[in-house]
Amino acid sequence: MMGCKSNSLTCLQGGKPALPLTTTTDSTATLNKLALATGGTEKSWYRCIFPFGIVSLVIGVAATCITFIINGPQMDIAKAVSVATLMFGVGLLVAAYICWRAKRERQRQRQREEPLSLEQGAL
C-alpha cells in the first residue's frame, strides 16, 4: 500500500486484485447499454460498412488503373494488392446490400403480420 498513489479498488485492497462481485450479466441490460452507447446502430451495421466499401472501391479502382498502366517487374505485388483492395471494396458493398435487403424484407414481413395482430386484438 506504500507504493500505491491512486484510490483504486486494487490499491485500497493492498495490491490484491479482487474477483468481480457479479459474474452473471443480464443480456437485455447489456444490449440496452450497447444501444445507448452506439446510438442504436448495432442493428444497422450495413450503414457503417457502406462508406468503407465505397472508399475501398475508389482506392482499389485508382490503384488498379495505375498499377496496370505502369508495367514493370516490381509491380507484380502492387497489382495483386490493388486487385485485392478492389475486391475487398466490392465485397463490402455486396455485404451491405445483402444486409439491407434482409432488413427490408423483415420490415415488410412485420408490416404484413401487424394488421393480423390488430384484427385479432379487436375480436
Side-chain angles (χ1 to χ4, degrees):
M1 188 135 159
M2 292 171 76
C4 198
K5 297 190 183 202
S6 69
N7 286 332
S8 69
L9 186 60
T10 304
C11 288
L12 293 174
Q13 291 176 346
K16 299 175 187 171
L19 293 174
L21 297 176
T22 59
T23 56
T24 60
T25 58
D26 184 18
S27 62
T28 306
T30 304
L31 288 176
N32 288 338
K33 288 178 185 178
L34 177 66
L36 183 64
T38 60
T41 59
E42 72 281 350
K43 292 183 181 176
S44 60
W45 64 274
Y46 63 90
R47 291 181 189 167
C48 181
I49 65 169
F50 182 73
F52 289 110
I54 294 290
V55 169
S56 180
L57 184 70
V58 169
I59 291 171
V61 167
T64 303
C65 289
I66 291 170
T67 55
F68 278 91
I69 288 173
I70 301 172
N71 288 327
Q74 294 88 8
M75 297 304 286
D76 291 337
I77 295 174
K79 287 179 184 179
V81 170
S82 65
V83 170
T85 305
L86 182 65
M87 290 190 306
F88 181 71
V90 169
L92 284 177
L93 290 177
V94 168
Y97 177 73
I98 290 171
C99 292
W100 175 72
R101 290 271 320 252
K103 182 177 180 182
R104 190 174 67 169
E105 189 62 35
R106 282 191 305 249
Q107 286 175 345
R108 285 183 181 172
Q109 187 177 10
R110 270 192 238 129
Q111 287 175 354
R112 279 187 234 131
E113 292 174 357
E114 189 174 286
L116 295 176
S117 64
L118 289 176
E119 291 173 6
Q120 290 174 354
L123 294 176

